[in-house]
Amino acid sequence: MSIRFTAKARRGMVALAVAAGLALGVAGCGGGGGDKKPDTSASASKSSGSDPSAQEGQSETPLAELRGTGGLLLQITSADRDSGGFVTVNGNLKNDGDKLLVIPAALRGDETEILRHGTSLGGATLVDSKGKKRYYVLRDTEGRPLTTTGLTSIKAGDTIAVFMQFPAPPSTTTEVSFEMPTFPIATIKISG
């Protein structure tokens, strides 16, 4: 089953995450809240090519292209700062190989809170080397990562639109390192 999250739905999810992070006193840290919130996990949206409507406002030239194991290619297409205090990184996971590719479990990272919620891109981080700070994927009040979830496999040549949301570095920080398990590190520019 494929679910597409519109920009409006993502903003709503982020608003929930930011509010939860402020309520917990630490944005980007795990921890279960007492309130029952709707399921904000997003399943992968599969397509045979680029789908501009799924990723509004993204340029054709990626900010970074990272090659992982087994022909997995991650293209980062945007990193947008929002006035709500977060950064949304959008991109595409593509199977650049010639056979079905199982998404590596390592992409979800190794934090206990994220492991409880299945496959995701929860292992991604942004690193502000000048500010000497690492930013982890935001989570909702139940600890679910605010990233594309439900990733299992990609057919040869297929692409999955993905997103990850992080607390925003200071507005003076316009460049960060993007890190994801099994991929090389890339420097990306934050817009907005």
Side-chain angles (χ1 to χ4, degrees), residues 74-171:
L74 174 62
Q75 297 172 318
I76 298 174
T77 54
S78 69
D80 298 322
R81 183 187 307 270
D82 189 284
S83 60
F86 60 89
V87 170
T88 301
V89 174
N90 288 297
N92 296 303
L93 267 180
K94 181 178 182 183
N95 180 350
D96 220 15
D98 57 1
K99 60 184 177 180
L100 181 74
L101 179 66
V102 174
I103 303 293
L107 298 185
R108 66 183 177 183
D110 59 4
E111 293 183 43
T112 306
E113 188 71 29
I114 288 182
L115 292 175
R116 288 186 5 209
H117 297 288
T119 58
S120 71
L121 301 177
T125 60
L126 298 179
V127 178
D128 174 6
S129 58
K130 289 182 183 174
K132 297 181 180 172
K133 191 161 183 183
R134 178 179 301 270
Y135 297 89
Y136 294 88
V137 168
L138 287 168
R139 293 153 186 114
D140 68 12
T141 58
E142 294 179 7
R144 287 185 296 258
L146 295 184
T147 134
T148 305
T149 60
L151 302 169
T152 55
S153 62
I154 310 176
K155 294 178 185 173
D158 277 4
T159 300
I160 300 172
V162 296
F163 77 96
M164 296 146 274
Q165 294 177 328
F166 303 89
S171 58

